[in-house]
Amino acid sequence: SQQGEEDPQALSIQEGENATMNCSYKTSINNLQWYRQNSGRGLVHLILIRSNEREKHSGRLRVTLDTSKKSSSLLITASRAADTASYFCATYNYGQNFVFGPGTRLSVLP
Amino acid sequence: GAGVSQTPSNKVTEKGKYVELRCDPISGHTALYWYRQSLGQGPEFLIYFQGTGAADDSGLPNDRFFAVRPEGSVSTLKIQRTERGDSAVYLCASSLVQGNEQFFGPGTRLTVL
């Protein structure tokens, strides 16, 4: 069964605006990771947040995790056309394996 | 250093044929994963190797699918009697240890006619 569910399914913004994507999940996790995928091929790891962390930053990326609500958000600030991609959250728990959501397709218009 | 590589990049086959997809993980990565991704969907877990052994093959859809990693590095995903529904992008990923960030290969796009 699907663990992570991203929201929205698609997002279109202007260059320079911020983009926020959300991920909800159903069971306990050890960590949650965000990945980016361009043109339907390999995924690129963006950021990992552990279950005992609430917020992490990496460059223009900010990830939050609320384990009480079983949700995470990915914020991309000052977006660029090159940020156009699909973004996936993946949850991991000990003894289990990664479960990916269906993704958010982000379009950044110049 | 070299990333994860997958061959072939594209494979077109006929229904009923046998195919092998190869994955070369990053050297030293003990964990190796296979996923299948259909258009507009997220990667779907197939199998996970820790070293040479398949630690979790619960995602393999049926017994036509099999994967090996005999020396703990290169892995091959084998699909027998292919069906049109097997058409998808097959992704391989490796990580230093299970649960850490995964490094993905570019995928193999399999088309079954």
Side-chain angles (χ1 to χ4, degrees):
Chain A
S1 62
Q2 204 79 25
Q3 169 80 308
E5 293 281 344
E6 291 92 345
D7 159 54
Q9 290 185 341
L11 179 62
S12 185
I13 60 173
Q14 295 295 132
E15 215 167 16
E17 294 180 339
N18 295 342
T20 299
M21 288 158 270
N22 303 295
C23 170
S24 60
Y25 58 92
K26 297 175 182 170
T27 63
S28 298
I29 62 169
N30 174 258
N31 70 59
L32 184 146
Q33 303 180 29
W34 285 90
Y35 289 81
R36 184 187 73 219
Q37 185 177 40
N38 291 87
S39 55
R41 300 306 284 256
L43 282 74
V44 174
H45 181 266
L46 295 176
I47 200 162
L48 180 155
I49 187 164
R50 301 190 187 283
S51 58
N52 61 353
E53 297 175 310
R54 292 296 167 258
E55 187 171 312
K56 281 189 89 166
H57 297 255
S58 176
R60 294 184 295 113
L61 306 181
R62 173 178 168 255
V63 168
T64 62
L65 179 65
D66 187 336
T67 53
S68 67
K69 294 181 179 178
K70 292 186 168 59
S71 68
S72 172
S73 68
L74 170 67
L75 168 68
I76 304 174
T77 61
S79 63
R80 306 166 181 168
D83 295 329
T84 295
S86 291
Y87 291 82
F88 297 92
C89 69
T91 54
Y92 172 76
N93 201 14
Y94 288 125
Q96 299 173 20
N97 279 293
F98 290 94
V99 181
F100 286 79
T104 292
R105 285 168 292 288
L106 173 66
S107 297
V108 181
L109 307 174
Chain B
V4 178
S5 63
Q6 291 185 246
T7 54
S9 57
N10 286 284
K11 176 71 177 178
V12 180
T13 190
E14 294 179 344
K15 181 175 178 294
K17 299 289 189 183
Y18 167 83
V19 297
E20 288 190 351
L21 312 180
R22 176 188 167 109
C23 172
D24 258 288
I26 292 173
S27 177
H29 280 193
T30 60
L32 185 147
Y33 308 82
W34 283 98
Y35 295 90
R36 179 169 69 176
Q37 186 177 28
S38 300
L39 193 63
Q41 300 296 316
E44 173 194 8
F45 168 77
L46 294 177
I47 187 169
Y48 154 63
F49 285 91
Q50 179 58 46
T52 61
D56 184 349
D57 64 359
S58 62
L60 295 177
N62 51 60
D63 61 6
R64 295 187 298 106
F65 289 75
F66 188 70
V68 295
R69 194 186 185 197
E71 297 178 358
S73 56
V74 171
S75 176
T76 304
L77 178 65
K78 308 180 181 193
I79 310 174
Q80 299 177 322
R81 305 182 304 280
T82 52
E83 299 177 356
R84 292 194 181 87
D86 298 335
S87 296
V89 175
Y90 288 81
L91 296 165
C92 173
S94 70
S95 64
L96 201 54
V97 295
Q98 187 190 20
N100 279 18
E101 66 173 290
Q102 297 176 87
F103 294 83
F104 280 81
T108 294
R109 185 179 301 279
L110 175 66
T111 303
V112 182
L113 302 176

XYZ file of all heavy atoms in Angstrom, chain B residues 19-79:
477
model
N 14.204 -11.301 -20.519
C 15.115 -10.157 -20.519
C 15.931 -10.119 -19.236
O 15.503 -10.610 -18.186
C 14.363 -8.816 -20.675
C 13.654 -8.738 -22.010
C 13.412 -8.568 -19.520
N 17.112 -9.541 -19.352
C 17.975 -9.315 -18.188
C 18.352 -7.848 -18.155
O 18.762 -7.283 -19.174
C 19.256 -10.158 -18.286
C 19.052 -11.631 -18.068
C 20.378 -12.378 -17.946
O 21.438 -11.787 -18.191
O 20.324 -13.579 -17.613
N 18.233 -7.251 -16.996
C 18.600 -5.854 -16.787
C 19.729 -5.829 -15.757
O 19.639 -6.478 -14.713
C 17.390 -5.060 -16.281
C 16.069 -5.252 -17.049
C 14.968 -4.407 -16.416
C 16.224 -4.930 -18.510
N 20.739 -5.029 -16.056
C 21.932 -5.038 -15.213
C 22.089 -3.740 -14.452
O 21.777 -2.664 -14.969
C 23.169 -5.269 -16.084
C 24.500 -5.219 -15.347
C 25.663 -5.270 -16.305
N 26.920 -4.933 -15.677
C 27.891 -5.811 -15.431
N 27.751 -7.078 -15.779
N 29.016 -5.399 -14.862
N 22.596 -3.857 -13.233
C 22.861 -2.691 -12.397
C 24.266 -2.783 -11.805
O 24.630 -3.797 -11.201
C 21.838 -2.603 -11.267
S 22.200 -1.326 -10.033
N 25.040 -1.698 -11.960
C 26.364 -1.581 -11.359
C 26.283 -0.526 -10.258
O 26.215 0.671 -10.569
C 27.375 -1.120 -12.408
C 28.215 -2.254 -12.912
O 29.076 -2.721 -12.139
O 28.010 -2.654 -14.062
N 26.298 -0.928 -8.996
C 26.142 0.060 -7.925
C 27.451 0.806 -7.668
O 28.491 0.497 -8.260
C 25.788 -0.807 -6.725
C 26.530 -2.082 -6.986
C 26.464 -2.278 -8.478
N 27.385 1.768 -6.792
C 28.585 2.478 -6.373
C 29.449 1.519 -5.551
O 28.923 0.788 -4.683
C 28.211 3.727 -5.562
C 27.526 4.749 -6.482
C 29.434 4.347 -4.894
C 26.961 5.961 -5.777
N 30.732 1.514 -5.825
C 31.645 0.613 -5.134
C 31.576 0.823 -3.620
O 31.627 1.960 -3.136
C 33.075 0.864 -5.626
O 33.990 0.053 -4.939
N 31.448 -0.275 -2.897
C 31.400 -0.192 -1.438
C 30.008 -0.091 -0.856
O 29.827 -0.225 0.360
N 29.026 0.129 -1.703
C 27.641 0.194 -1.209
C 27.126 -1.226 -1.008
O 27.043 -2.012 -1.947
C 26.755 0.951 -2.201
C 26.888 2.425 -2.093
N 26.001 3.302 -2.689
C 27.774 3.196 -1.434
C 26.344 4.535 -2.410
N 27.434 4.500 -1.650
N 26.718 -1.527 0.221
C 26.267 -2.890 0.509
C 24.792 -3.084 0.173
O 24.353 -4.185 -0.090
C 26.491 -3.231 1.987
O 25.751 -2.314 2.799
C 27.976 -3.138 2.344
N 24.040 -2.005 0.220
C 22.594 -2.099 -0.039
C 22.305 -1.778 -1.502
O 22.815 -0.795 -2.040
C 21.832 -1.144 0.862
N 21.487 -2.617 -2.113
C 21.102 -2.409 -3.517
C 19.618 -2.667 -3.630
O 19.072 -3.637 -3.100
C 21.884 -3.347 -4.448
C 21.656 -3.154 -5.954
C 22.951 -3.462 -6.713
C 20.514 -3.994 -6.470
N 18.925 -1.784 -4.366
C 17.476 -1.842 -4.507
C 17.092 -1.836 -5.988
O 17.717 -1.152 -6.792
C 16.815 -0.615 -3.870
C 17.205 -0.322 -2.446
C 18.383 0.354 -2.147
C 16.382 -0.699 -1.389
C 18.741 0.632 -0.840
C 16.728 -0.410 -0.073
C 17.913 0.253 0.188
O 18.249 0.539 1.482
N 16.036 -2.553 -6.280
C 15.394 -2.463 -7.601
C 13.987 -1.902 -7.410
O 13.259 -2.302 -6.481
C 15.290 -3.825 -8.273
C 16.555 -4.336 -8.880
C 17.438 -5.229 -8.342
C 17.070 -4.012 -10.171
N 18.466 -5.466 -9.220
C 18.269 -4.734 -10.352
C 16.634 -3.180 -11.210
C 19.038 -4.655 -11.519
C 17.396 -3.100 -12.370
C 18.580 -3.830 -12.509
N 13.629 -0.986 -8.308
C 12.297 -0.400 -8.327
C 11.757 -0.457 -9.747
O 12.503 -0.546 -10.719
C 12.331 1.078 -7.906
C 12.758 1.340 -6.482
C 14.102 1.539 -6.167
C 11.827 1.412 -5.459
C 14.495 1.786 -4.860
C 12.210 1.664 -4.147
C 13.548 1.854 -3.859
O 13.930 2.108 -2.568
N 10.440 -0.361 -9.833
C 9.787 -0.242 -11.134
C 8.936 1.023 -11.090
O 8.250 1.290 -10.091
C 8.901 -1.465 -11.388
C 8.155 -1.435 -12.694
C 7.534 -2.777 -12.992
N 6.443 -3.130 -12.099
C 5.707 -4.221 -12.229
N 5.960 -5.084 -13.228
N 4.727 -4.489 -11.391
N 8.996 1.792 -12.162
C 8.240 3.047 -12.189
C 7.430 3.125 -13.478
O 7.978 3.068 -14.575
C 9.180 4.252 -12.085
C 8.444 5.569 -11.955
C 9.390 6.739 -11.772
O 10.538 6.699 -12.227
N 8.927 7.782 -11.114
N 6.134 3.299 -13.313
C 5.256 3.511 -14.455
C 5.040 5.011 -14.623
O 5.249 5.791 -13.691
C 3.924 2.796 -14.238
O 4.133 1.407 -14.076
N 4.596 5.390 -15.790
C 4.432 6.798 -16.121
C 3.515 7.505 -15.131
O 2.417 7.041 -14.843
C 3.868 6.922 -17.538
C 3.907 8.309 -18.171
C 5.352 8.771 -18.338
C 3.193 8.309 -19.504
N 4.008 8.603 -14.586
C 3.198 9.396 -13.670
C 3.099 8.852 -12.261
O 2.342 9.390 -11.446
N 3.867 7.811 -11.967
C 3.827 7.188 -10.643
C 5.185 7.285 -9.957
O 6.201 7.551 -10.594
C 3.424 5.714 -10.766
C 2.059 5.499 -11.393
C 0.957 6.072 -10.545
O 0.920 5.910 -9.329
N 0.042 6.795 -11.190
N 5.186 7.047 -8.674
C 6.437 6.967 -7.952
C 7.071 5.599 -8.113
O 6.412 4.651 -8.553
N 8.353 5.475 -7.784
C 9.007 4.162 -7.855
C 8.322 3.160 -6.933
O 7.983 3.479 -5.802
C 10.431 4.466 -7.382
C 10.633 5.920 -7.632
C 9.292 6.544 -7.400
N 8.160 1.948 -7.451
C 7.537 0.857 -6.703
C 8.621 -0.147 -6.337
O 9.305 -0.677 -7.212
C 6.461 0.202 -7.572
C 5.843 -1.054 -7.011
C 5.052 -1.823 -8.059
O 5.111 -1.451 -9.248
O 4.391 -2.807 -7.700
N 8.788 -0.406 -5.052
C 9.830 -1.306 -4.575
C 9.652 -2.717 -5.118
O 8.546 -3.266 -5.118
C 9.801 -1.339 -3.043
C 10.638 -2.432 -2.427
C 12.018 -2.294 -2.362
C 10.056 -3.583 -1.940
C 12.795 -3.303 -1.799
C 10.818 -4.588 -1.373
C 12.187 -4.446 -1.308
N 10.750 -3.319 -5.576
C 10.725 -4.706 -6.036
C 11.505 -5.617 -5.098
O 10.975 -6.595 -4.571
C 11.308 -4.812 -7.448
C 10.535 -4.123 -8.566
C 11.292 -4.259 -9.883
C 9.137 -4.684 -8.689
N 12.809 -5.304 -4.894
C 13.666 -6.197 -4.134
C 14.832 -5.403 -3.562
O 15.272 -4.410 -4.140
C 14.167 -7.363 -5.024
C 14.934 -8.410 -4.207
C 15.003 -6.855 -6.188
C 15.210 -9.706 -4.989
N 15.308 -5.866 -2.408
C 16.436 -5.237 -1.732
C 17.480 -6.300 -1.407
O 17.155 -7.366 -0.889
C 15.930 -4.554 -0.454
C 16.951 -4.400 0.645
C 18.092 -3.615 0.464
C 16.785 -5.013 1.887
C 19.022 -3.459 1.472
C 17.710 -4.867 2.901
C 18.826 -4.099 2.687
O 19.748 -3.944 3.695
N 18.745 -5.991 -1.738
C 19.870 -6.860 -1.419
C 20.724 -6.208 -0.335
O 21.020 -5.023 -0.397
C 20.761 -7.072 -2.648
C 20.183 -7.992 -3.672
C 19.407 -7.494 -4.699
C 20.429 -9.361 -3.621
C 18.867 -8.337 -5.657
C 19.901 -10.215 -4.582
C 19.120 -9.698 -5.605
N 21.141 -7.010 0.633
C 22.159 -6.615 1.576
C 23.335 -7.546 1.311
O 23.283 -8.729 1.649
C 21.663 -6.729 3.016
C 22.690 -6.348 4.058
C 23.199 -4.939 3.887
O 22.431 -4.000 3.678
N 24.505 -4.775 3.956
N 24.386 -7.017 0.684
C 25.467 -7.891 0.257
C 24.989 -8.783 -0.888
O 24.397 -8.321 -1.851
N 25.223 -10.064 -0.746
C 24.857 -11.003 -1.808
C 23.439 -11.525 -1.686
O 22.889 -12.063 -2.653
C 25.816 -12.211 -1.816
O 25.712 -12.875 -0.547
C 27.260 -11.776 -2.025
N 22.860 -11.395 -0.515
C 21.556 -12.002 -0.291
C 20.391 -11.064 -0.492
O 20.481 -9.874 -0.181
N 19.307 -11.627 -0.986
C 18.075 -10.850 -1.139
C 17.416 -10.759 0.228
O 16.801 -11.719 0.689
C 17.155 -11.500 -2.157
N 17.551 -9.615 0.873
C 17.012 -9.453 2.217
C 15.499 -9.277 2.212
O 14.830 -9.592 3.194
C 17.669 -8.268 2.908
N 14.972 -8.775 1.106
C 13.530 -8.543 1.026
C 13.137 -8.567 -0.438
O 13.529 -7.679 -1.188
C 13.170 -7.200 1.661
C 11.666 -6.937 1.691
O 10.910 -7.672 1.039
O 11.261 -5.969 2.362
N 12.396 -9.593 -0.847
C 11.922 -9.664 -2.234
C 10.398 -9.576 -2.296
O 9.782 -10.032 -3.260
C 12.422 -10.934 -2.919
C 11.873 -12.201 -2.262
O 11.129 -12.083 -1.261
O 12.187 -13.305 -2.751
N 9.824 -8.973 -1.280
C 8.367 -8.934 -1.175
C 7.694 -8.110 -2.257
O 6.493 -8.235 -2.475
C 7.960 -8.385 0.195
O 8.429 -7.058 0.360
N 8.472 -7.261 -2.943
C 7.883 -6.431 -3.979
C 7.851 -7.057 -5.362
O 7.222 -6.516 -6.270
N 8.497 -8.188 -5.525
C 8.468 -8.848 -6.842
C 7.029 -9.273 -7.139
O 6.407 -9.960 -6.327
C 9.392 -10.058 -6.859
C 10.879 -9.767 -6.706
C 11.676 -11.068 -6.676
C 11.386 -8.840 -7.803
N 6.489 -8.882 -8.280
C 5.059 -9.096 -8.542
C 4.656 -10.552 -8.697
O 3.530 -10.906 -8.345
C 4.797 -8.305 -9.822
C 6.123 -8.036 -10.426
C 7.136 -8.088 -9.351
N 5.532 -11.385 -9.206
C 5.210 -12.808 -9.376
C 6.505 -13.571 -9.658
O 7.591 -12.979 -9.678
C 4.196 -13.000 -10.530
C 4.636 -12.299 -11.786
O 5.702 -12.591 -12.319
N 3.836 -11.349 -12.259
N 6.381 -14.876 -9.864
C 7.586 -15.698 -10.009
C 8.249 -15.567 -11.371
O 9.233 -16.263 -11.650
C 7.283 -17.166 -9.680
C 6.249 -17.767 -10.610
O 5.837 -17.083 -11.583
O 5.834 -18.911 -10.363
N 7.745 -14.713 -12.239
C 8.463 -14.453 -13.493
C 9.658 -13.523 -13.258
O 10.526 -13.412 -14.113
C 7.517 -13.839 -14.525
C 6.391 -14.749 -14.975
C 5.598 -14.119 -16.117
N 4.956 -12.873 -15.727
C 5.368 -11.660 -16.112
N 6.448 -11.531 -16.893
N 4.708 -10.591 -15.729
N 9.638 -12.854 -12.121
C 10.692 -11.888 -11.784
C 11.671 -12.526 -10.807
O 11.277 -13.134 -9.805
C 10.091 -10.637 -11.142
C 9.329 -9.761 -12.085
C 8.066 -10.134 -12.524
C 9.865 -8.562 -12.527
C 7.353 -9.320 -13.395
C 9.157 -7.740 -13.391
C 7.899 -8.124 -13.828
N 12.949 -12.331 -11.090
C 13.991 -12.871 -10.216
C 15.204 -11.953 -10.298
O 15.449 -11.351 -11.334
C 14.366 -14.286 -10.671
C 15.293 -14.996 -9.736
C 14.847 -15.421 -8.498
C 16.606 -15.247 -10.093
C 15.695 -16.068 -7.628
C 17.462 -15.903 -9.233
C 17.003 -16.318 -7.999
N 15.939 -11.814 -9.220
C 17.132 -10.971 -9.241
C 18.246 -11.656 -8.470
O 17.996 -12.393 -7.523
C 16.850 -9.594 -8.649
N 19.476 -11.381 -8.903
C 20.646 -11.951 -8.248
C 21.698 -10.874 -8.049
O 21.725 -9.867 -8.753
C 21.246 -13.122 -9.068
C 20.265 -14.276 -9.137
C 21.640 -12.668 -10.467
N 22.578 -11.161 -7.108
C 23.730 -10.274 -6.841
C 24.843 -11.173 -6.310
O 25.207 -11.114 -5.146
C 23.354 -9.197 -5.825
C 24.352 -8.057 -5.730
C 24.000 -7.098 -4.599
N 24.882 -5.952 -4.589
C 25.018 -5.136 -3.547
N 24.320 -5.348 -2.432
N 25.836 -4.111 -3.610
N 25.399 -12.023 -7.142
C 26.252 -13.132 -6.700
C 27.525 -12.735 -5.961
O 27.983 -13.491 -5.096
C 26.568 -13.870 -8.010
C 26.316 -12.887 -9.090
C 25.225 -11.996 -8.596
N 28.100 -11.602 -6.276
C 29.360 -11.215 -5.632
C 29.203 -9.966 -4.773
O 30.197 -9.354 -4.382
C 30.447 -11.035 -6.691
C 30.740 -12.333 -7.440
C 31.776 -12.154 -8.530
O 32.252 -11.016 -8.732
O 32.108 -13.156 -9.188
N 27.979 -9.592 -4.553
C 27.740 -8.453 -3.671
C 27.957 -7.097 -4.309
O 27.976 -6.080 -3.610
N 28.123 -7.077 -5.647
C 28.240 -5.777 -6.308
C 27.198 -5.689 -7.416
O 26.072 -5.286 -7.155
C 29.649 -5.539 -6.825
O 30.052 -6.586 -7.694
N 27.540 -6.128 -8.630
C 26.622 -6.075 -9.762
C 25.388 -6.932 -9.490
O 25.472 -8.017 -8.904
C 27.326 -6.563 -11.043
C 26.343 -6.723 -12.181
C 28.443 -5.589 -11.429
N 24.247 -6.418 -9.929
C 22.996 -7.168 -9.795
C 22.306 -7.265 -11.148
O 22.439 -6.365 -11.991
C 22.063 -6.471 -8.799
O 20.812 -7.140 -8.723
N 21.597 -8.364 -11.336
C 20.830 -8.560 -12.563
C 19.389 -8.871 -12.196
O 19.126 -9.743 -11.369
C 21.402 -9.734 -13.391
O 22.786 -9.501 -13.651
C 20.659 -9.853 -14.714
N 18.484 -8.145 -12.819
C 17.054 -8.405 -12.676
C 16.618 -9.186 -13.910
O 16.893 -8.766 -15.039
C 16.264 -7.095 -12.577
C 14.739 -7.211 -12.481
C 14.323 -7.889 -11.178
C 14.092 -5.828 -12.589
N 15.982 -10.317 -13.667
C 15.620 -11.213 -14.764
C 14.100 -11.324 -14.833
O 13.453 -11.548 -13.804
C 16.234 -12.591 -14.542
C 17.731 -12.535 -14.269
C 18.333 -13.898 -14.038
C 19.828 -13.770 -13.740
N 20.519 -15.073 -13.802
N 13.566 -11.172 -16.024
C 12.120 -11.286 -16.216
C 11.861 -12.342 -17.286
O 12.323 -12.217 -18.418
C 11.488 -9.950 -16.644
C 11.926 -8.811 -15.712
C 9.967 -10.077 -16.644
C 11.458 -7.435 -16.146
